[in-house]
Structure formats: structure tokens, C-alpha cells
Amino acid sequence: MVLEQIKLEWLDVCNLIDSIDEQTQDSDNKNIGVVGISRGGLIPAVLLSHKKTNSTVFSVGVKSYQGTNRTGDTIYQIPDMEQLQKLDTIYLIDDICDTGLTFKNLLNKTFKNLPVQTVSLLYRKNSIYVPNIFGQVILDENWRVFPWEKE
């Protein structure tokens, strides 16, 4: 089977963020943290934070891929945990939940006992982990290219 690259446009991403925002309306009056998983989740984190009136953006550094090859998760940067503990809701966001391993590893190693909701623009149906909130389910194995990526 030949896999193809499917390019998403900015409008696609904005529509996915709008869908996620609608799913998170109950948190709008709370003290929210939006944690972007680098690299793919950083731009979605900023976009989602603009939708939330009382939010702070953080990042967590995870290296999972070299090109299109999954290499495992190396967590190389974590946010200030004292600040995260003061939040009512934490949205841990990535561009795609592909295998689900990154979310599982972060929840088990870094974000234990915190009010975390996992968020992904895209969720691949055969992932071992289902995000709490996602913009769209994808059923195929094709590689998705986001507007901020070269290829």
C-alpha cells in the first residue's frame, strides 16, 4: 500500500480549533493552562489559548520522531509544575494523536495527579490512546502535513 501525504490548509486547522473550542466551553470561566507538546502542538496551543479568556500557554518538549520514523519519546523540557498545580484545567495539546504513546508517556511520567484533558487536532483511529478531546478522527495511515510544516 502506497501512503500519501495529505496537506492541511490553515482553514482546516482553524476549523479543527473551533471544534475543540466548542468541546471545551465549560472551562471558559476557569483558570486554564494550555500546554503545547513540541513541536507539533505549539501552534495549536497558541491558537486554542486565543479562544480562552483566562489561559496561560506552556510547552513541554518531547522528541518522538526523526523525519517520519518514530524513535520513542524523549522528554527534554517540562513546564513549571508549581504553576500547573494552581490551574483548574490543563489542556495538553498536540497536532496529531498518531500512536498515542506520547500522550500516555506524558500522563504517566510528567502530568500525574493534575487536572489534564488531552487534546489533539487529529486522532488516528488505531491509536492506543484516545484523547479526551479531538477535532477529527482519521481512518487511514496517510501522513498529514500541517501548514507550518515543510513536508
Side-chain angles (χ1 to χ4, degrees), residues 33 35 58 60 78-92 106-118 129 132:
V35 181
F58 301 88
V60 59
I78 60 170
D80 182 330
M81 298 311 279
E82 283 185 33
Q83 287 185 355
L84 292 182
Q85 291 169 350
K86 296 175 185 175
L87 298 170
D88 297 321
T89 304
I90 299 167
Y91 294 120
L92 179 62
L106 285 170
L107 290 172
N108 291 332
K109 294 178 182 174
T110 307
F111 292 90
K112 274 186 182 176
N113 304 317
L114 292 172
V116 173
Q117 294 286 304
T118 53
Y129 179 83
N132 300 108

Side-chain angles (χ1 to χ4, degrees), residues 14-132:
C14 291
N15 288 336
L16 293 168
I17 290 292
D18 287 344
S19 173
I20 289 166
D21 181 46
E22 288 175 17
Q23 296 174 63
T24 59
Q25 290 295 317
D26 62 329
S27 68
D28 280 347
N29 295 321
K30 295 181 180 177
N31 189 15
I32 299 169
V34 182
V35 181
I37 300 172
S38 72
R39 295 177 311 200
L42 296 177
I43 292 172
V46 171
L47 294 172
L48 182 59
S49 74
H50 284 296
K51 299 278 188 179
K52 304 297 175 191
T53 54
N54 191 21
S55 67
T56 305
V57 178
F58 301 88
S59 66
V60 59
V62 180
K63 184 172 175 90
S64 303
Y65 285 87
Q66 185 158 6
T68 59
N69 297 320
R70 182 154 178 80
T71 59
D73 290 327
T74 302
I75 301 169
Y76 61 86
Q77 172 199 350
I78 60 170
D80 182 330
M81 298 311 279
E82 283 185 33
Q83 287 185 355
L84 292 182
Q85 291 169 350
K86 296 175 185 175
L87 298 170
D88 297 321
T89 304
I90 299 167
Y91 294 120
L92 179 62
I93 189 167
D94 208 354
D95 55 356
I96 186 169
C97 181
D98 194 26
T99 65
L101 291 172
T102 299
F103 279 129
K104 282 189 74 153
N105 288 336
L106 285 170
L107 290 172
N108 291 332
K109 294 178 182 174
T110 307
F111 292 90
K112 274 186 182 176
N113 304 317
L114 292 172
V116 173
Q117 294 286 304
T118 53
V119 180
S120 185
L121 296 181
L122 301 176
Y123 154 61
R124 196 175 302 277
K125 186 68 173 170
N126 64 355
S127 169
I128 63 167
Y129 179 83
V130 180
N132 300 108

